[in-house]
Amino acid sequence: MSFDWSEYVELAEKLIEQDKDKKIESAYYRSSVSRSYYGAYCLARDLLINKGFYISRTDAHKTVREAFQQDSRSVTKKVGEDLKRLWGERKNADYDAPESFDKVRAEKALKLAKKLLELYSDHNVKKIAP
């Protein structure tokens, strides 16, 4: 049985909701943002692979975003734009120590990831072709 990437989004929500050790509270929120992105990204990537797209390991994140952004349908373009925003948040969470992450910021990322998961079931998004 293969892993269900949406479980990362569920984990992101749990990281926001659970009681936190104040000393590492920011780490919970950063981890939540990261998991929100990876859940949304991996599902988008797999959707493209299942449609016949080739996704190399080099620049895979950019390739996935651009495949959606370059499609002619507005809902599909929106997926690419939202993935790009969420990717930017994930990069900040994973690499930028001066960035501040709190519950509000983590909840925004989670909300965006959940929105993307809903969009993946949209008929127009599913029609994306290589």
Side-chain angles (χ1 to χ4, degrees), residues 23-34:
K23 208 167 67 174
I24 60 169
E25 186 175 48
S26 183
Y28 281 90
Y29 295 132
R30 285 173 178 270
S31 296
S32 175
V33 170
S34 186

Side-chain angles (χ1 to χ4, degrees), residues 16 20 22 24-34 85-110:
I16 293 170
K20 295 163 193 60
K22 283 290 189 192
I24 60 169
E25 186 175 48
S26 183
Y28 281 90
Y29 295 132
R30 285 173 178 270
S31 296
S32 175
V33 170
S34 186
R85 275 193 351 193
L86 196 52
W87 170 78
E89 279 294 281
R90 193 274 310 168
K91 280 187 59 183
N92 288 334
D94 286 348
Y95 301 115
D96 295 337
E99 288 282 328
S100 175
F101 281 83
D102 59 9
K103 184 175 183 177
V104 171
R105 194 165 180 185
E107 285 174 336
K108 284 181 184 178
L110 176 63

Side-chain angles (χ1 to χ4, degrees), residues 32-80:
S32 175
V33 170
S34 186
R35 293 306 88 194
S36 290
Y37 169 72
Y38 274 105
Y41 161 75
C42 289
L43 287 167
R45 180 201 60 203
D46 289 356
L47 190 151
L48 292 175
I49 290 169
N50 290 335
K51 290 292 185 176
F53 283 81
Y54 171 73
I55 311 293
S56 75
R57 289 196 182 267
T58 306
D59 290 331
H61 296 262
K62 182 179 179 183
T63 301
V64 169
R65 289 190 312 270
E66 288 180 352
F68 286 98
Q69 289 174 312
Q70 294 170 359
D71 193 75
S72 62
R73 290 171 291 270
S74 63
V75 68
T76 311
K77 285 181 186 288
K78 183 74 173 136
V79 166

